[in-house]
Amino acid sequence: SSDSVLTVSGSRVGKHEQALVSFDRALALEPHHAALHNNRANSLKELGRLPEALESYSLALAIEPGNLETLHNRAVVYVLLRRYAEALRDYDDLRTRGGERDADLVGRGAALVALYRNAEAIEPLQRATALLPHEVEAHIQYGLALLRLDNPCRLCVTVKS
């Protein structure tokens, strides 16, 4: 029933709020702990508080710049915030460092499509559709990139996802 769905969702939100309180308390004691900032950001992301999550991921990366998990998490939030140039910077950094995951191909491709860099989006999205055949967003973005190759007008092609 819809009541049970609401209960599960409410319970999940409650756990993320409780986790956030714990992470905040721990950070008050140890403010330079990168993993705590990353975990705090994960809870904020789950709560839909994306600007705050982005700030916490960035703090974690300032403390531990080589943390590829946090870099991946920040790239995802940049995409969710539609800050595609910054997302692409993080995805490129992941690729350069050898930390790119299969799912990152979708995010990187989506950022390139959003920036109308469709020819560059083809390769990562083609790989993403092969590696993640059930990932709907990979197929949508790949199709959009292909369509825009023939019709690059920004106003001519609109896809709602």
Side-chain angles (χ1 to χ4, degrees), residues 3-152:
D3 289 340
S4 64
V5 170
L6 289 174
T7 303
V8 169
S9 297
S11 169
R12 194 166 173 223
V13 166
K15 287 180 181 170
H16 286 294
E17 287 172 346
Q18 288 174 349
L20 190 57
V21 169
S22 287
F23 294 137
D24 284 342
R25 287 179 181 155
L27 282 166
L29 299 170
E30 197 170 332
H32 300 293
H33 194 291
L36 284 173
H37 285 286
N38 184 66
N39 289 333
R40 179 179 190 275
N42 289 338
S43 289
L44 288 165
K45 183 179 109 185
E46 291 299 319
L47 291 168
R49 294 165 57 182
L50 299 178
E52 292 171 86
L54 181 62
E55 182 180 338
S56 286
Y57 287 133
S58 294
L59 282 170
L61 285 167
I63 296 165
E64 189 179 346
N67 188 317
L68 299 180
E69 176 73 21
T70 303
L71 187 61
H72 161 82
N73 292 340
R74 186 173 73 177
V76 169
V77 170
Y78 274 136
V79 169
L80 293 172
L81 289 170
R82 298 178 183 202
R83 292 172 60 176
Y84 300 112
E86 291 149 306
L88 186 57
R89 181 194 65 220
D90 282 357
Y91 283 124
D92 286 345
D93 198 8
L94 282 166
R95 190 173 56 170
T96 300
R97 296 183 193 192
E100 184 174 62
R101 307 172 182 178
D102 293 348
D104 292 333
L105 295 168
V106 180
R108 184 173 188 282
L112 287 164
V113 168
L115 294 168
Y116 288 86
R117 292 169 55 181
N118 302 299
E120 293 174 69
I122 296 296
E123 187 271 331
L125 290 170
Q126 191 172 42
R127 285 181 40 218
T129 58
L131 293 167
L132 305 165
H134 302 293
E135 177 63 47
V136 173
E137 191 64 23
H139 293 285
I140 290 170
Q141 294 298 326
Y142 183 52
L144 187 55
L146 288 169
L147 187 60
R148 286 182 176 171
L149 283 177
D150 288 336
N151 187 3

